[in-house]
Amino acid sequence: MLVAAAVCPCPPLLVPEVARGAAPELDAVRAACTDALGVLAAARPDLLVVVGPAERPGRGPHPEGTPGSFRGFGVDLDVRLGRDPGTGSEGVLPPSLAVAAWLLERNGWSGAPVEGLGVGEPLEPERCAEVGRQIAARADRVALLVMGDGSACRSLKAPGYLDERAEPFDARAAEALGTADPAALMALDPDLALTLKVSGRAPWQVLAGAATTADLTGTLLYAEAPYGVGYMTATWS
C-alpha cells in the first residue's frame, strides 16, 4: 500500500557539477527536493520505488545498485541507485533515475531498499495507473519517488519555444500534485502533454494509480519555470 510519495523534477541541471556556473539558480529546487525526501524517510517504507521518464521504457525494474552516469552531460560523475552496491545487472539508469539516485545519495538515504522503473511518455493513462497499482501492492508500506518535468514550452527561450497552453497545463498539474488528487492527474491529456514536451505526465499517472486506495494529503513545495521548463516538487503523505 502506498504510504508516501515525493514528486521531483528531473533535469540533470539539478546536479551542480552539470549546472556548473548556473548551479545557484536551482538552489530552491534542490532545497524543495530535500524536504520532499525527508517526508519519504519519515514514512518508514518497506520499499521505495523510483519512477521516471525513459526513452526506452520497460527495461527494469532496475534493482538497487544499478549504476547511472552524467558522463553524457560532460561530467565525470557516476551514481548508483540506493545503498546496495549491487551488480548493475539491468544496465544503466536512464537520466531521470540517475538524477533520483543522485538526490538519494546527496540526502543520505538510509531507509528501505530502492528499485527504479522507467516509463515512456506515450504510455496510455490507464496502463500507467495499472503499473502504479501493481507497485502499491508490492509491500505493506510502499513509497514512491516520482521524477518528471512539466511543459518545456513556457517561454520563448524554452526548449520547445513558447506555447500559450503550457502554463495552464502546468497549473493543472501543480494543483493536482499539491492536493493529492489522483483523478485530476488521470485527467491530464497525454497528447497535449506530448506536444508540450511534458516528461512527467506518465510518471504522475503511475502515482495516481498507486494512490487509488490510499488516503493521502498533498503539499506543493515548488512550482516555477526556470529556463522555460515547469519544475514541480510535492509530497503526498
Side-chain angles (χ1 to χ4, degrees):
M1 178 178 179
L2 186 70
V3 295
V7 177
C8 294
C10 60
L13 288 174
L14 274 184
V15 180
E17 291 88 342
V18 176
R20 298 181 182 176
E25 297 176 13
L26 294 183
D27 280 347
V29 187
R30 296 186 192 97
C33 290
T34 293
D35 291 342
L37 290 180
V39 170
L40 294 185
R44 298 185 178 278
D46 301 320
L47 174 67
L48 173 63
V49 179
V50 183
V51 180
E55 291 183 2
R56 292 187 293 173
R59 297 187 64 181
H62 299 284
E64 190 161 42
T66 300
S69 174
F70 295 97
R71 296 176 189 272
F73 302 96
V75 175
D76 186 12
L77 176 64
D78 298 321
V79 292
R80 283 189 179 274
L81 188 64
R83 296 176 296 155
D84 189 335
T87 62
S89 59
E90 295 297 326
V92 178
L93 296 171
S96 66
L97 300 190
V99 173
W102 176 83
L103 284 171
L104 291 168
E105 181 178 326
R106 177 177 186 259
N107 289 281
W109 179 260
S110 59
V114 183
E115 291 183 3
L117 180 66
V119 294
E121 290 182 47
L123 194 65
E124 298 87 350
E126 185 47 48
R127 178 58 184 146
C128 292
E130 177 58 27
V131 170
R133 289 190 288 269
Q134 292 172 358
I135 291 173
R138 291 277 311 280
D140 289 339
R141 299 182 63 80
V142 175
L144 280 177
L145 174 53
V146 183
M147 309 298 293
D149 301 336
S151 171
C153 301
R154 292 281 298 273
S155 71
L156 293 174
K157 294 183 178 180
Y161 197 66
L162 177 65
D163 190 312
E164 64 183 13
R165 298 169 295 178
E167 187 171 354
F169 183 99
D170 284 353
R172 289 193 296 273
E175 182 177 7
L177 293 170
T179 57
D181 188 339
L185 286 180
M186 291 301 298
L188 294 175
D189 184 341
D191 294 327
L192 179 58
L194 195 61
T195 299
L196 297 176
K197 302 184 182 301
V198 177
S199 70
R201 190 276 307 171
W204 298 337
Q205 290 180 336
V206 170
L207 168 61
T212 300
T213 60
D215 183 17
L216 303 177
T217 298
T219 301
L220 186 66
L221 303 177
Y222 183 92
E224 299 292 343
Y227 313 121
V229 181
Y231 295 156
M232 303 164 212
T233 305
T235 60
W236 293 21
S237 62

